[in-house]
Amino acid sequence: MFLRLAGLILPSLLLLGGMGLVLPIATQLSHEYQQILSLTPYPVAFIVALLGYWFKRSQILFTALNLSGAYWLIQHGLQTSLNQPDAFVLFSSISVLLPLHMALIAIYKERGLFTPIGIIRIALIVFSYLTLYLSWANGSIGLYLADLPMSMLEMLFHKYYLSEAAAITFTVCFIPVVLSFTIRKTYTDAALLASFISALIMLSYFDKPLISALFVSASLIALAISIMQNSYQMAFIDELTAIPARRALQDKLATLGKRYTLAMCDIDHFKKFNDTYGHDVGDQVLKMVAAKLNQVTGGGKAYRYGGEEFTLVFPGKNEEEALPYIEQLRETIANYPMHIRNQDRPKDNDQGQQQRHKRDKSEVVSVQISIGICEKTADLADAQAVIKKADEALYASKKNGRNCSTTVHYKPKPKPTRRGQRKDYA
C-alpha cells in the first residue's frame, strides 16, 4: 500500500522539488523574464480549469480556481511590505482561506460542475476571494487589524511567515487532505495533496522572490498531469481487475518484433459460476484470476482481453519456452482454494464467528482456466492472426476437457491432469 501511495504522489513531489531548485535561478533573470514568470499561473490555471471541465473533474477545477484566486490577490495586494496593515491582514486571511478551501475540496464528491451543489461550491470560492479583494481595493481591510485574534498577529516562527492561526489551520486541514489521498488512492487526490504542500511552502517562505509564481504554477501543472494520468488509467487499465486492458494490449502488440508468443486464457464454466453464486462473486473470480496471471514470470505480461478472457504476452519466446510459465500459472489457479462468502452477512461479530465455524466444504471451490498458445511465425501475417490461432487452440483446450493448455506448433508430451477434490463450478 505504501509503495502504491508513494508512486501516486512521487511525480508531483519531484515537480515541487524542481521548482525549489529553480527558485534561486529565477531570481537572477531579467525583469522582463520575471514578469513573464509572474503571469504564467494565469494561462496555466485557465487550461487546467478547462481540462477539469472537459473531463468532468470538479475537484481539479475547484482547486485551479482556489489557487488562481489566492495568486491573484497575492499579485495585486501583497507586492509590498507586510508591515502595512492592509497587506498584513490580507496575507493573514489568505493563509487561512487557502488551506480551508483545499480541505473542503478534498472531501467533495464528484457531483457535477453546474448542478446546484456544484454552483454553490464555485460561488463559495469566488465569493470569499472577491470579498477579500473588494475590502483591500477600498482600503478597508486594514481596519480589521485590531479585530484579528492574537494568534493571527504573532508569527509562529520568526524565520517563517505563517502565523499561529495559519499553522493550526494548515495542520487541521491537512487531515482530510491526506485521508482522502490514502482512502481513495487516486491521481487527483495525490495532486491535491501536492498542491496543499506547495501552498504551505509558498506561504512559509513568502519573502522569496517569485516563490508564489513558481509554486502555484507547479501545483497547477501537477493538477494537469493528474488528469492525464487518470485518463491513461481509464483507457489502458481495466477498472475491475486493475491489470492492463485490451487497448494496452493493442499498443504492446504494435511494438513486438518477429518473435513472441501469445496465450489466450478463458475461465472455464464462468457463466455457470455467475448463475450459481451471482455476479458479485463472479467479479471476485475475475479479480483472483487476474491477480494470479499478473504474477507471470519468464518476461510475460498479463492483459484483460474482455469478459472472462485474458491474454499473456511473451516477447522473444517461442511456444516451448513460454509453456512452462503458462502451465505454472494454470496449475496455481486450479489449486487455489476460493472461499465463497455467505450471502447472508452476519449483523455482529458473534454471529460471524458462528457462521465461520459452520463453514463446510461446499463453500470452497476451484476455478480453472483453459489456454490456447501460439507463437509468431512467418506464415502468420500480424498479431491479429496470432490471436486468431491462439483462440483456435483455446477452443481445442475446451474440447479436450478444459483446465489444460494447447499449443499450435509445439507438441509437448501429454501429461495427466491432476484435479483437486474441491467442487469445480468454474
Side-chain angles (χ1 to χ4, degrees):
M1 178 180 174
F2 175 77
L3 292 177
R4 163 70 173 164
L5 295 177
L8 287 171
I9 198 171
L10 183 59
S12 297
L13 293 182
L14 290 176
L15 183 61
L16 295 183
M19 288 300 176
L21 295 176
V22 169
L23 185 60
I25 302 174
T27 58
Q28 305 299 320
L29 297 175
S30 63
H31 178 71
E32 290 77 11
Y33 285 111
Q34 290 188 15
Q35 284 292 103
I36 294 174
L37 280 177
S38 65
L39 294 174
T40 299
Y42 296 120
V44 177
F46 176 78
I47 294 172
V48 173
L50 194 63
L51 289 172
Y53 167 77
W54 185 263
F55 288 95
K56 296 181 175 21
R57 299 284 175 179
S58 61
Q59 288 181 309
I60 297 292
L61 189 146
F62 296 150
T63 306
L65 193 61
N66 182 37
L67 290 170
S68 57
Y71 183 73
W72 183 55
L73 284 175
I74 289 172
Q75 290 300 302
H76 282 79
L78 295 179
Q79 301 305 305
T80 183
S81 173
L82 295 185
N83 292 327
Q84 299 183 17
D86 285 353
F88 187 87
V89 176
L90 183 60
F91 176 79
S92 299
S93 300
I94 293 174
S95 299
V96 172
L97 194 59
L98 183 59
L100 188 60
H101 278 312
M102 287 186 171
L104 291 174
I105 293 170
I107 62 177
Y108 284 162
K109 294 182 179 179
E110 294 288 349
R111 295 182 177 176
L113 294 172
F114 298 111
T115 59
I117 189 66
I119 294 174
I120 291 174
R121 290 168 176 174
I122 293 175
L124 178 63
I125 298 173
V126 173
F127 177 78
S128 60
Y129 285 116
L130 186 60
T131 301
L132 275 180
Y133 173 75
L134 293 176
S135 299
W136 170 83
N138 61 26
S140 63
I141 194 171
L143 301 177
Y144 294 100
L145 181 62
D147 298 327
L148 292 180
M150 186 59 64
S151 60
M152 293 186 71
L153 294 175
E154 295 181 354
M155 298 299 178
L156 183 62
F157 301 109
H158 293 296
K159 60 186 292 189
Y160 302 126
Y161 274 75
L162 284 184
S163 65
E164 182 180 351
I168 293 173
T169 303
F170 266 99
T171 302
V172 172
C173 292
F174 179 75
I175 297 174
V177 174
V178 75
L179 280 178
S180 298
F181 171 60
T182 54
I183 293 173
R184 291 195 289 241
K185 302 181 185 67
T186 67
Y187 289 110
T188 298
D189 289 293
L192 292 177
L193 178 58
S195 298
F196 189 91
I197 296 172
S198 177
L200 177 61
I201 296 173
M202 175 185 72
L203 295 173
S204 298
Y205 298 93
F206 195 70
D207 61 324
K208 305 295 183 183
L210 296 174
I211 190 170
S212 58
L214 290 175
F215 276 83
V216 169
S217 296
S219 299
L220 292 168
I221 293 172
L223 293 171
I225 292 174
S226 74
I227 294 178
M228 292 185 286
Q229 290 172 320
N230 281 322
S231 300
Y232 175 86
Q233 185 85 6
M234 293 175 63
F236 292 92
I237 304 298
D238 180 62
E239 184 177 5
L240 176 64
T241 62
I243 68 172
R246 188 167 180 172
R247 181 173 294 184
L249 172 63
Q250 296 300 327
D251 281 2
K252 179 64 177 180
L253 295 177
T255 64
L256 295 174
K258 296 181 179 180
R259 188 169 184 263
Y260 59 87
T261 293
L262 297 181
M264 301 300 293
C265 313
D266 186 86
I267 301 175
D268 296 333
H269 300 301
F270 185 71
K271 184 180 184 301
K272 183 178 179 181
F273 198 99
N274 270 337
D275 293 341
T276 304
Y277 294 107
H279 290 282
D280 288 342
V281 176
D283 287 347
Q284 295 300 318
V285 172
L286 289 171
K287 291 179 181 179
M288 184 274 290
V289 172
K292 298 300 181 184
L293 293 177
N294 202 38
Q295 297 172 4
V296 61
T297 55
K301 182 72 174 177
Y303 301 84
R304 187 180 181 189
Y305 193 77
E308 67 271 24
E309 199 167 9
F310 299 85
T311 304
L312 296 173
V313 179
F314 291 87
K317 282 185 170 57
N318 57 30
E319 293 174 7
E320 182 179 3
E321 293 169 333
L323 184 60
Y325 305 105
I326 296 171
E327 279 292 282
Q328 182 183 25
L329 286 175
R330 184 189 60 77
E331 293 178 3
T332 298
I333 293 171
N335 294 325
Y336 181 79
M338 184 167 181
H339 295 270
I340 304 300
R341 295 181 179 180
N342 197 318
Q343 298 299 318
D344 299 324
R345 302 306 300 273
K347 295 181 179 180
D348 54 45
N349 291 333
D350 293 336
Q351 292 182 8
Q353 290 180 358
Q354 293 176 5
Q355 288 189 13
R356 282 191 288 271
H357 287 308
K358 294 179 180 179
R359 177 175 286 169
D360 55 30
K361 294 182 179 179
S362 65
E363 293 177 305
V364 182
V365 299
S366 175
V367 179
Q368 298 170 350
I369 62 174
S370 297
I371 305 174
I373 308 168
C374 182
E375 64 183 69
K376 175 69 172 71
T377 57
D379 58 323
L380 298 175
D382 52 26
Q384 295 306 315
V386 179
I387 290 176
K388 184 178 179 180
K389 285 293 184 180
D391 266 329
E392 293 175 0
L394 171 61
Y395 292 131
S397 294
K398 296 284 189 182
K399 292 180 180 179
N400 291 335
R402 296 182 170 86
N403 189 27
C404 62
S405 302
T406 301
T407 55
V408 174
H409 302 94
Y410 174 66
K411 301 303 178 184
K413 294 181 180 180
K415 292 182 179 180
T417 303
R418 296 184 61 186
R419 297 184 179 273
Q421 298 179 351
R422 291 183 296 273
K423 191 173 182 180
D424 177 11
Y425 274 97

